[in-house]
Amino acid sequence: MKILKTVSEVKEQVKTWRKEGLTIGLVPTMGWLHEGHLSLIKKARENNDRVVVSDFVNPMQFGPGEDFDSYPRDLNRDAGLCEKAGVDVIFAPEVSEMYPEGFCSYVDMNGLTGGLCGKSRPIHFRGVQTVVNKLFNIVTPDNAYFGEKDAQQLAVIKRMVVDLNMNVKINGCPIIREADGLAKSSRNSYLTPEERSLAPIINKAMTMGRQMIIDGERNSQKVIEAISEVILSVGVTKIDYVSIVDSLSLEPVETIEKDILCACAVYMGNSARLIDNFSLEI
């Protein structure tokens, strides 16, 4: 396994692979890898001749006062996990390599980014789209792999690929959870022991909401209120949002009549903002 730091090194390696007729899978990450990332790597390993993992904490997707500086980083730890998982190349650039002096080009969209996480993180998805676009241009993968936990991100990237005629297949992979139901996340490392003991309430509430819909509830607001009440019952002080939206447009729905995404973001104390979701075909 190689750890490459520059765009030119990655492009040279990709050129060699292409001459050999090999297929390439890309797993974009911000490092501090966990079982969720490893599930993406496993799928990429199964479907491609070569696998590249990007390990880059992207400053462009963090807003003022967010956790860019404190976001966990440990390339040596990540490299050990990647090597065991069969990764061929880790691309771990410095910020100056991805955004050199004078950088002023961005990728953005309207519509899909305005609600859910985009409402409280207004610059987030511009940063996501820009860095993913750059990674696609650098690695030119046949396949790229993203977790369904970040449902809005996955929808945004799929739309970007269609709109910009990108020659890459986007593969969404299921949420990986702890034994108690908490969705795996790098930000789980922020939780105090007490917050960690309360965090599974998010999945419990979402599971209850899902069952309400399966049992026939079609009023979105009633489901949202029930989920919120369960989350708040353990002393959580702030819910960013609980929303039910159309699975394609991500527009809020009042009456559940077609395929939906129910998503939430919850602040656990002052430590972490955690997200979760479920989808249902109606």
Side-chain angles (χ1 to χ4, degrees):
M1 186 185 74
K2 298 179 181 178
I3 300 176
L4 303 181
K5 296 280 192 176
T6 68
V7 171
S8 60
E9 288 174 320
V10 175
K11 285 188 170 183
E12 192 62 33
Q13 179 63 78
V14 167
K15 185 187 298 184
T16 299
W17 288 339
R18 292 300 185 195
K19 286 180 180 178
E20 297 171 1
L22 302 176
T23 57
I24 301 170
L26 171 66
V27 181
T29 85
M30 293 206 302
W32 200 252
L33 303 184
H34 52 68
E35 287 87 344
H37 298 112
L38 296 178
S39 73
L40 305 182
I41 293 170
K42 180 181 179 183
K43 183 61 68 173
R45 183 73 278 165
E46 291 171 354
N47 296 344
N48 303 274
D49 298 314
R50 296 291 183 266
V51 175
V52 177
V53 171
S54 63
D55 194 313
F56 176 65
V57 183
N58 176 32
M60 194 181 290
Q61 66 194 65
F62 291 79
E66 292 189 342
D67 57 339
F68 173 71
D69 291 331
S70 61
Y71 197 88
R73 298 163 169 85
D74 189 337
L75 181 57
N76 289 334
R77 171 186 174 277
D78 293 342
L81 292 171
C82 284
E83 190 154 29
K84 288 180 182 177
V87 171
D88 297 286
V89 164
I90 296 177
F91 177 40
E94 298 294 330
V95 171
S96 59
E97 179 71 13
M98 292 296 279
Y99 305 119
E101 185 176 355
F103 185 91
C104 58
S105 301
Y106 306 91
V107 181
D108 206 351
M109 73 169 59
N110 297 318
L112 295 182
T113 60
L116 303 177
C117 288
K119 188 172 183 179
S120 59
R121 306 185 73 193
I123 69 167
H124 174 70
F125 288 109
R126 184 179 80 160
V128 170
Q129 291 172 85
T130 300
V131 76
V132 170
N133 190 303
K134 286 177 67 69
L135 290 170
F136 287 172
N137 288 333
I138 295 164
V139 180
T140 62
D142 301 279
N143 293 282
Y145 299 83
F146 297 86
E148 292 175 354
K149 178 176 74 71
D150 299 292
Q152 186 175 17
Q153 172 179 276
L154 179 58
V156 165
I157 290 168
K158 284 182 175 180
R159 184 76 253 175
M160 178 184 75
V161 165
V162 170
D163 288 352
L164 301 184
N165 306 108
M166 295 179 169
N167 192 27
V168 54
K169 180 181 178 183
I170 304 302
N171 300 268
C173 299
I175 298 172
I176 303 299
R177 298 184 181 277
E178 304 281 1
D180 58 11
L182 179 64
K184 296 273 189 179
S185 171
S186 300
R187 287 186 169 95
N188 290 350
S189 63
Y190 296 165
L191 298 173
T192 67
E194 180 181 2
E195 290 165 351
R196 177 61 185 84
S197 70
L198 298 177
I201 196 65
I202 300 171
N203 178 242
K204 290 179 182 177
M206 296 291 276
T207 300
M208 179 211 63
R210 184 177 187 275
Q211 192 61 49
M212 286 178 66
I213 300 172
I214 291 172
D215 290 342
E217 181 58 67
R218 291 295 177 262
N219 186 306
S220 291
Q221 192 58 36
K222 288 184 178 179
V223 177
I224 290 168
E225 289 174 358
I227 291 171
S228 300
E229 183 177 349
V230 171
I231 292 173
L232 294 171
S233 70
V234 299
V236 174
T237 56
K238 184 178 180 182
I239 296 175
D240 187 357
Y241 68 83
V242 178
S243 298
I244 296 177
V245 299
D246 178 271
S247 61
L248 295 178
S249 70
L250 302 188
E251 289 294 324
V253 297
E254 294 182 3
T255 303
I256 301 169
E257 299 175 321
K258 50 187 174 180
D259 297 353
I260 58 94
L261 168 72
C262 179
C264 71
V266 177
Y267 290 93
M268 298 300 300
N270 297 318
S271 300
R273 179 181 177 276
L274 305 182
I275 61 174
D276 206 340
N277 70 78
F278 66 83
S279 297
L280 268 181
E281 296 181 359
I282 305 300

